Amino acid sequence: MEPRGTKRGAGKIEVAEPRNKLPCPAPSLPTDPALYSGPFPFYRRPSQMGYFSLDAQRQYHGDAHALRYYSPPPTNGQGPNFDLRDGYPHRYQPRDEEVREGLDHLLRWLLEHRGRLEGGPGWLAGAIVTWRGHLTKLLTTPYERQEGWQLAASRFQGTLYLSEVETPAARAQRLARPPLLRELMYMGYKFEQYMCADKPGGSPDPSGEVNTNVAFCSVLRSRLGNHPLLFSGEVDCTDPQALSPQPPTCYVELKTSKEMHSPGQWRSFYRHKLLKWWAQSFLLGVPNVVAGFRNSEGFVCSLKTFPTMQMFEHVRNDRDGWNPSVCMNFCAAFLSFAQNTVVQDDPR
């Protein structure tokens, strides 16, 4: 991808070439937001096709045993006072980031359910299969000035598969991750432990280990413009009290952020962090993000719910804000770009 302005490089796409061909430079796609400011494109409401769980050893299970249940603290006028540093680092088991999983877990689900897909197996021909996180990167690219990315694209039997490739810069940044950032990452998972129970009507148990290998993943079908999509994303929890018990509208996204003390801090929050929260939740069809705001000592002082469909209102009149139409139009343009770039089936 070609950077715009001062951007450090939004990303690029790698194409799986036949083995008897020499690789050629990938064509480029501009990322200037002004180029994608048209009407909001068609996006089919995501429908859940299935799910799977990953256990404490990151092993795949075709069930929902890792699904957790939203269990917020009572609203008695006081802050929840969750200690997000509790248990760090002695009750923390982070996932091994040296293991590059690619699409492995999603492909296993697909192999198990290929014959039972809505519309039959033939529906996959022409579809795009990927992770929600990769689509999130695409949506935020027109406004991203810090993080670059790289995607590998491969076509097999008419289906285009998109998987992220860790760039040398991203790897160097990950290996040099400072202790404070590692602790902040832990705090996000710890917040989920305070807010979720293992069964409906149960109570959270924050005394256990925080193991980031464990995950519940929803598999969804959608369409952006002319592009059928099958993608999977990790789900934090489901709300037993949701107005609709039908996934994904019963799911809840949980986030943490530092406390805000000035209009300028809120403005920066709306411009940058809320963009990523919107992209993640809108793609999956999650209606609400519940945020815990922490103080400098790592205690959650307040909770705030951000309805996904209202997030844009915080930047609608901000000249330097983001626009959902730009995000979705760029994503649609990139998917067309990828479909047209990968013109042959991967012969492997």
Side-chain angles (χ1 to χ4, degrees):
M1 309 292 296
E2 288 184 341
R4 65 173 179 88
T6 60
K7 192 181 283 188
R8 284 190 348 191
K12 63 181 180 179
I13 184 172
E14 283 190 347
V15 180
E17 293 283 358
R19 292 184 176 182
N20 60 348
K21 286 187 66 178
L22 294 175
C24 58
S28 61
L29 184 71
T31 61
D32 187 341
L35 300 174
Y36 304 98
S37 60
F40 196 90
F42 171 78
Y43 184 63
R44 172 182 167 176
R45 183 186 299 272
S47 58
Q48 180 169 281
M49 304 181 70
Y51 46 78
F52 58 89
S53 296
L54 304 175
D55 64 21
Q57 287 73 46
R58 203 65 180 177
Q59 297 300 305
Y60 172 97
H61 300 270
D63 57 33
H65 82 265
L67 178 61
R68 295 175 297 178
Y69 298 85
Y70 183 58
S71 181
T75 54
N76 53 12
Q78 297 180 343
N81 206 38
F82 298 151
D83 182 3
L84 299 185
R85 286 196 167 109
D86 179 52
Y88 184 81
H90 54 280
R91 296 203 312 269
Y92 183 34
Q93 182 58 55
R95 182 172 70 85
D96 184 358
E97 295 180 88
E98 286 295 314
V99 178
R100 310 307 297 176
E101 295 173 337
L103 299 177
D104 289 355
H105 299 306
L106 177 54
L107 292 179
R108 179 166 177 179
W109 181 91
L110 192 56
L111 286 172
E112 291 179 354
H113 297 85
R114 186 182 182 92
R116 290 173 284 174
L117 292 179
E118 180 185 349
W123 175 82
L124 275 177
I128 296 171
V129 174
T130 190
W131 286 106
R132 182 265 308 268
H134 303 347
L135 295 175
T136 299
K137 288 182 183 294
L138 293 177
L139 262 65
T140 60
T141 289
Y143 301 101
E144 179 58 65
R145 290 176 172 81
Q146 298 295 326
E147 299 177 4
W149 52 259
Q150 187 172 5
L151 293 178
S154 180
R155 192 188 305 280
F156 181 70
Q157 295 182 352
T159 304
L160 187 68
Y161 297 87
L162 296 177
S163 182
E164 187 172 14
V165 178
E166 187 176 40
T167 65
R171 174 176 170 77
Q173 187 178 48
R174 172 172 61 83
L175 294 177
R177 190 177 289 154
L180 177 59
L181 183 54
R182 295 175 188 269
E183 188 174 27
L184 288 174
M185 293 172 64
Y186 170 84
M187 289 182 180
Y189 289 105
K190 187 67 180 180
F191 178 64
E192 296 175 14
Q193 201 178 56
Y194 278 109
M195 297 288 288
C196 299
D198 291 334
K199 59 183 179 181
S203 298
D205 179 13
S207 65
E209 180 183 65
V210 172
N211 189 321
T212 65
N213 289 295
V214 179
F216 171 79
C217 297
S218 175
V219 182
L220 302 107
R221 175 181 179 178
S222 184
R223 176 184 287 270
L224 175 56
N226 296 323
H227 304 289
L229 300 174
L230 188 151
F231 60 98
S232 179
E234 186 173 340
V235 172
D236 291 335
C237 58
T238 184
D239 185 359
Q241 305 299 320
L243 294 177
S244 171
Q246 185 71 25
T249 56
C250 58
Y251 292 151
V252 179
E253 185 78 22
L254 300 174
K255 297 291 187 182
T256 60
S257 183
K258 66 180 181 180
E259 279 187 303
M260 307 295 165
H261 299 288
S262 70
Q265 288 179 335
W266 278 110
R267 190 160 51 246
S268 178
F269 169 83
Y270 293 144
R271 287 175 179 174
H272 305 293
K273 186 164 287 190
L274 206 62
L275 166 60
K276 294 185 178 181
W277 292 6
W278 170 81
Q280 286 182 321
S281 301
F282 179 77
L283 283 167
L284 210 63
V286 175
N288 291 301
V289 175
V290 177
F293 289 91
R294 65 179 188 275
N295 62 21
S296 58
E297 284 75 41
F299 285 84
V300 173
C301 300
S302 63
L303 301 175
K304 182 176 176 63
T305 298
F306 292 89
T308 302
M309 300 306 291
Q310 297 177 22
M311 291 182 183
F312 173 56
E313 297 305 317
H314 294 286
V315 295
R316 180 183 292 274
N317 298 318
D318 185 345
R319 186 176 57 184
D320 296 316
W322 48 274
N323 188 310
S325 296
V326 170
C327 299
M328 296 298 285
N329 283 324
F330 175 80
C331 186
F334 179 88
L335 296 180
S336 296
F337 169 81
Q339 288 279 31
N340 294 331
T341 302
V342 187
V343 295
Q344 300 185 42
D345 272 14
D346 186 344
R348 288 171 289 184

